[in-house]
Amino acid sequence: MSRFTLPRDIYHGKGCLEELRNLKGKKAILVVGGGSMKRQGFLDKAVNYLKEAGMEVELFEGVEPDPSVETVMRGAEAMRKFQPDWIVSMGGGSPIDAAKAMWAFYEYPDTTFEDLCIPFNFPELRQKAKFAAIPTTSGTATEVTAFSVITNYRTGVKYPLADFNITPDVAIVDPDLVARLPVKQVAYTGMDALTHAIEAYVSTLNGPFTDPLALQAIEMVLDYLPASYHENKVAREQMHYAQCLAGMAFSNALLGIVHSMAHKTGAAFSTGHIPHGCANAIYLPYVIKYNAKNPVAASRYAEIALRMGLEGTSEKSLVNSLCEKIDEFNVILNIPKTLKDFGIDEEEFKSKVAKIAELAVGDACTGSNPRQITPDEMEKLLTCTYYGTEVDF
C-alpha cells in the first residue's frame, strides 16, 4: 500500500497571503528568518491579517539558514510559553523547516531529536496547534512536504526529518513574495526544484499520483527558470508554482542520492558552506549517469528527456541529452560544475570524503534511490563531482 498526503488547503495566486485572515484560532506564533519580508512589508501584512482573524500574534524571528538544533529548541520553548493554536511560518525552507521541528517539541517536550531523526517516527501532532506555511523562495516546497532538514553544527551533519505528521495544514503560495528574490537564490532554489522533480520521477516509490506532478514540474522549470533568473515576473510566478508541484511529487515518492550527498556535504567543509540548491545542481548530472546503469532508471530518465523534447535516438543518448540540458542550465545560472570549482579545498576533501560517503549512504534519501550504492561507490561518485571526471562504474 502507498500513501499520498498533501496540505488540506493550498492557496495560490497573487495576493493570496490575505487568506491568513480566514484562519480560525485564538493565538498564532509567526516564525520567520531574516529581514527581507519585514523590509518588503509582507511581515506586517501577515501579522495584520492574523489579527484580523481575531488572533493574538507573537513573532519568533531570526531563524538562520540551515537551522540548528539549538534554534529549534529555543522556538519550541517560546511556543510552550505562548501556547499558540496556529504555528505560521513565512520564509524560505529554513524557517518553515525549523518551525515544523519546533511544532513537535512544543507538543511533546520530552521527545528527543534522535527520536525524530528516525524516519516516520514523529508522535501524533495537532494536539495543540495546526500549521500554516508561506514560502518566500521557489525551491524547497517545504510548504507541502512531509520533510524538514535540521543541522547539527557540532557534527557538521544535516538531518532530514521525515513524517507525514509535519505536512502543513495550509500552504499559501503567493508569487508576490518572490518577485524581488535575488538572482542567486532564484538559481539555487530553481535547481533544487528540478532535482526534486527528477528524483521523484525515478524514485523506487514513484507512482501514478506522483508521476504527473513530477513531469509537469520538470517541464515548467525548463520553460521558466532562465527567464525567472533574468527577473521576468511571469516566469517568477510560474516557478513558484512549479516548485510546489515538485514538492507534492517528492513528498510522496521521496528522493535519491543527489539529496543524500547534498545533506552530508553542505556543512562539511571549512572552506565554504555549499548552499543546498547549488549542491544539488552540481551533483545531479553525475548521479543521473550513475543511476542510469540501472535499466529501470535509464528508462525513466529517457522518458523525462522525451517529454521535454530533448534529442536522442536511444535511451543512452536521451540520458546524455538530459545531463547536457542540466549542464547548460548550470552555465546559464552561474553554478559551478564541480566541488573544486566551487572552492572546496582539495586536501580537506580528500581527508573527509570517506566519512562523508559513509554518512551519505546512511542518509534517509538513499533508500529510495533507483540504484543501490555502497560507501566505496559513493566515495568514487563524490570524487567525480570534485574533479569533474566521468562516472564509469
Side-chain angles (χ1 to χ4, degrees):
M1 184 185 75
S2 300
R3 178 174 173 176
F4 187 83
T5 300
L6 296 177
R8 184 175 188 276
D9 294 299
I10 301 172
Y11 298 99
H12 57 94
K14 293 185 175 183
C16 68
L17 182 65
E18 69 180 10
E19 281 299 325
L20 288 174
R21 59 161 62 111
N22 294 320
L23 298 185
K24 301 291 191 289
K26 295 179 180 178
K27 290 184 175 183
I29 189 165
L30 184 52
V31 180
V32 295
S36 64
M37 289 297 100
K38 181 181 286 187
R39 290 190 297 273
Q40 294 178 45
F42 290 114
L43 182 58
D44 284 344
K45 279 188 176 182
V47 169
N48 289 334
Y49 288 144
L50 289 167
K51 288 180 177 177
E52 284 181 43
M55 286 193 265
E56 183 183 346
V57 182
E58 181 168 297
L59 288 177
F60 184 89
E61 299 182 79
V63 176
E64 73 274 36
D66 300 308
S68 65
V69 177
E70 289 77 14
T71 295
V72 167
M73 296 306 181
R74 283 194 299 106
E77 178 61 26
M79 290 175 186
R80 285 192 290 271
K81 288 179 180 176
F82 184 59
Q83 292 290 306
D85 47 14
W86 274 100
I87 299 166
V88 180
S89 188
M90 171 190 282
S94 297
I96 299 174
D97 279 6
K100 286 178 175 179
M102 293 171 190
W103 187 15
F105 289 110
Y106 164 46
E107 297 202 354
Y108 294 91
D110 294 332
T111 197
T112 68
F113 186 69
E114 289 71 26
D115 289 337
L116 301 187
C117 287
I118 300 168
F120 301 97
N121 191 51
F122 273 63
E124 192 69 30
L125 298 179
R126 296 168 181 81
Q127 308 304 305
K128 295 181 179 179
K130 293 181 179 179
F131 194 100
I134 308 162
T136 63
T137 61
S138 300
T140 70
T142 189
E143 74 275 6
V144 293
T145 76
F147 300 100
S148 165
V149 180
I150 306 299
T151 301
N152 184 333
Y153 284 95
R154 289 195 299 274
T155 61
V157 175
K158 292 185 178 184
Y159 293 93
L161 312 180
D163 197 285
F164 289 116
N165 263 289
I166 57 173
T167 304
D169 298 282
V170 174
I172 295 176
V173 188
D174 188 337
D176 285 343
L177 276 60
V178 296
R180 293 166 61 185
L181 201 63
V183 293
K184 186 173 280 190
Q185 274 189 284
V186 170
Y188 292 167
T189 57
M191 291 305 290
D192 190 21
L194 181 63
T195 305
H196 289 155
I198 290 176
E199 289 211 294
Y201 193 74
V202 302
S203 159
T204 57
L205 297 174
N206 73 74
F209 290 86
T210 59
D211 283 354
L213 294 165
L215 287 172
Q216 179 67 16
I218 294 166
E219 186 169 344
M220 291 176 73
V221 171
L222 294 186
D223 283 347
Y224 293 110
L225 181 53
S228 178
Y229 182 69
H230 291 108
E231 304 187 72
N232 177 285
K233 295 297 184 278
V234 172
R236 286 277 171 104
E237 179 174 358
Q238 294 303 313
M239 276 301 302
H240 208 39
Y241 304 151
Q243 63 87 31
C244 188
L245 294 172
M248 296 181 203
F250 90 78
S251 184
N252 293 281
L254 305 188
L255 293 164
I257 59 172
V258 177
H259 273 77
S260 303
M261 294 159 71
H263 291 152
K264 298 318 188 236
T265 53
F269 300 108
S270 63
T271 44
H273 171 80
I274 311 171
H276 178 70
C278 180
N280 281 340
I282 292 171
Y283 300 147
L284 183 57
Y286 297 95
V287 169
I288 289 173
K289 289 176 180 175
Y290 173 81
N291 283 343
K293 300 292 194 300
N294 175 306
V296 176
S299 175
R300 300 287 286 181
Y301 289 128
E303 287 170 12
I304 292 171
L306 284 170
R307 167 72 182 264
M308 302 312 133
L310 303 180
E311 293 183 0
T313 56
S314 65
E315 274 190 0
K316 185 174 182 180
S317 61
L318 286 165
V319 171
N320 287 337
S321 289
L322 180 59
C323 292
E324 287 166 7
K325 176 59 73 171
I326 294 163
D327 287 336
E328 176 190 316
F329 265 51
N330 284 344
V331 171
I332 292 169
L333 302 171
N334 291 305
I335 293 172
K337 186 174 176 60
T338 67
L339 289 179
K340 188 173 186 178
D341 292 341
F342 181 82
I344 301 302
D345 178 76
E346 185 172 11
E347 291 307 312
E348 186 179 13
F349 174 81
K350 287 179 177 178
S351 69
K352 291 182 174 180
V353 65
K355 182 61 177 177
I356 291 170
E358 182 184 333
L359 291 170
V361 170
D363 186 87
C365 293
T366 301
S368 46
N369 193 68
R371 182 184 172 193
Q372 291 187 338
I373 190 164
T374 66
D376 284 346
E377 288 168 334
M378 179 64 80
E379 185 174 345
K380 286 182 185 177
L381 186 56
L382 284 162
T383 300
C384 289
T385 71
Y386 186 86
Y387 294 105
T389 49
E390 278 299 311
V391 179
D392 57 2
F393 55 93

